[in-house]
Amino acid sequence: MLCACICSHSDGRQRGWRPGPALGGVNQVFESVAKKYDVMNDSMTLGIHRVWKDILVHKMNPCPGTLLLDVAGGTGDIAFRFINYIRSARERQLQRKLRQHQNLSWQEISESYQEEQFKPLGDSQVVVCDINKEMLKVGKQKAQYLGYSEGLSWVLGNAEELPFDDDKFDVYTIAFGIRNVTRMDLALQEAYRVLKPGGRFLCLEFSHVSNPIISRLYDLYSFQVIPVLGEVIAGDWKSYQYLVESIRRFPPQEELKAMIEDAGFFKVDYQNLNSGIVAIHSGFKL
C-alpha cells in the first residue's frame, strides 16, 4: 500500500542513489497532485498513512516548548499532529499540577484553566517548510478549516538550502519527502545545521520490504494499481507512475542510515513499519 506523499523537492546522488527528475519536474508533479493529495493518500493506503504519521509523532514525543521544523510538509499532516500532541501534553501537565495542589481555591483552578485555554501550546511552535506553493496553499486551507492557527507558520523554502539560522530547532521532521530532493546529502547536512545541539532528526519514508512474498504483492499493487488510481481519482497517471518509480529508486534502510551518519548525526537507527513498506529513521545532533 502506497501513499501519494511525494512531498516536495527532488533526489540525491551518492551511495548508489539514482536521481529522479529535475527540480522543475518534481514541482510539476506536486502541483498536479496537491488538490487530490488527501483523497489519494487515503485511497492508496486504505488510510494507513495516518497511522504511520501518528507513529512518527509519538516517536518524537515532543514536550511543551518544542520548536519543530517540518520540511516538505506543505499539507500540514505532521504539523497538525504535533499541535494536537502538545495540547494534550499541556492538558496533562495542568491536571498533574492541580492534583498536587489540593488546597487551591475554585478561583485559582479556574484561572489556571483560563490560562491554558489562552495559550494551549505554551512556547511550542511548528514551522512548515515546503518548496511547492501549491502544497503550502493546500496546507493553509486545511489549517484554516480545522482551526489551527496558534504556533504554526508556513515558509516557502528548499530542503537543500533552508532559510533558517544555525542551531535553531529542537526537532526536524521530513515525512515522505526526502526521496524527492535533488541532493540528499545537502538536505541532510542542512537538517544537521539548523538543529540545536541535542536536537533530533526524524524521517518517515517508503523503504524496502524484506519479506519476499509481501515484496512481490507490493510490487504488483504498486505498478498495476497505483497509476490506475491516480488516473481515476486525480486524472493523472504520470505523476503516480513517478511516485512508484521514485520509491523503487530509494536507498534501502541500512544505506539511508549510513547517509544520515555521514551528515554528522549520532545514535542513528530505524524502525520498520508494515514489513518495511515504510521506515522511520532517527538521529541526534550531539
Side-chain angles (χ1 to χ4, degrees), residues 29-100:
V29 170
F30 292 124
E31 288 172 2
S32 173
V33 305
K35 293 181 179 179
K36 296 289 186 178
Y37 181 86
D38 290 327
V39 175
M40 284 300 298
N41 281 353
D42 286 334
S43 299
M44 291 190 296
T45 70
L46 304 179
I48 295 176
H49 75 100
R50 299 175 184 271
V51 177
W52 294 336
K53 291 166 184 173
D54 288 341
I55 292 172
L56 176 69
V57 174
H58 278 82
K59 190 176 183 71
M60 183 196 315
N61 190 25
C63 59
T66 297
L67 179 57
L68 167 66
L69 173 63
D70 183 38
V71 175
T75 57
D77 286 358
I78 302 303
F80 303 153
R81 284 169 169 78
F82 170 81
I83 290 172
N84 291 341
Y85 197 97
I86 293 295
R87 284 175 176 170
S88 296
R90 290 267 295 172
E91 177 67 22
R92 289 194 298 271
Q93 276 187 349
L94 175 60
Q95 291 178 356
R96 284 196 299 268
K97 176 184 174 182
L98 295 178
R99 280 198 297 266
Q100 290 170 0

Side-chain angles (χ1 to χ4, degrees), residues 6 9-14 16-27 29-30 160 177-184 241-251:
I6 36 183
H9 311 92
S10 308
D11 303 46
R13 298 190 179 92
Q14 70 279 39
W17 170 235
R18 293 178 293 168
L23 182 60
V26 174
N27 265 327
V29 170
F30 292 124
E160 298 170 24
I178 200 165
R179 78 178 182 282
N180 298 306
V181 300
T182 305
R183 290 287 305 275
M184 199 187 306
Q241 182 69 30
Y242 161 74
L243 163 66
V244 174
E245 292 171 353
S246 72
I247 292 169
R248 292 305 180 272
R249 289 194 302 266
F250 194 70

Side-chain angles (χ1 to χ4, degrees), residues 59-187:
K59 190 176 183 71
M60 183 196 315
N61 190 25
C63 59
T66 297
L67 179 57
L68 167 66
L69 173 63
D70 183 38
V71 175
T75 57
D77 286 358
I78 302 303
F80 303 153
R81 284 169 169 78
F82 170 81
I83 290 172
N84 291 341
Y85 197 97
I86 293 295
R87 284 175 176 170
S88 296
R90 290 267 295 172
E91 177 67 22
R92 289 194 298 271
Q93 276 187 349
L94 175 60
Q95 291 178 356
R96 284 196 299 268
K97 176 184 174 182
L98 295 178
R99 280 198 297 266
Q100 290 170 0
H101 297 82
Q102 296 292 335
N103 58 343
L104 290 178
S105 67
W106 170 84
Q107 183 177 0
E108 290 170 322
I109 294 174
S110 177
E111 288 173 353
S112 295
Y113 271 103
Q114 288 174 4
E115 180 182 350
E116 172 66 19
Q117 290 176 348
F118 178 72
K119 204 172 182 182
L121 299 181
D123 295 323
S124 302
Q125 289 189 14
V126 53
V127 178
V128 179
C129 181
D130 200 297
I131 201 170
N132 188 275
K133 292 180 180 179
E134 287 300 313
M135 298 295 267
L136 286 171
K137 182 180 178 181
V138 170
K140 290 177 183 178
Q141 290 172 344
K142 285 171 61 179
Q144 185 176 12
Y145 176 76
L146 296 171
Y148 293 102
S149 57
E150 183 189 1
L152 175 62
S153 57
W154 308 85
V155 175
L156 184 68
N158 190 336
E160 298 170 24
E161 194 175 356
L162 293 170
F164 307 109
D165 294 336
D166 297 354
D167 305 330
K168 181 176 178 65
F169 296 95
D170 299 301
V171 183
Y172 172 114
T173 53
I174 183 166
F176 303 113
I178 200 165
R179 78 178 182 282
N180 298 306
V181 300
T182 305
R183 290 287 305 275
M184 199 187 306
D185 56 339
L186 294 183

Side-chain angles (χ1 to χ4, degrees), residues 203-207 253 270-273 276-281:
C203 171
L204 172 64
E205 188 53 87
F206 291 111
S207 201
Q253 289 88 326
Y270 59 86
Q271 176 186 356
N272 285 326
L273 304 177
I277 290 178
V278 298
I280 299 175
H281 280 73

Side-chain angles (χ1 to χ4, degrees), residues 195-208:
L195 279 170
K196 298 175 183 177
R200 189 175 191 183
F201 169 88
L202 285 166
C203 171
L204 172 64
E205 188 53 87
F206 291 111
S207 201
H208 291 251

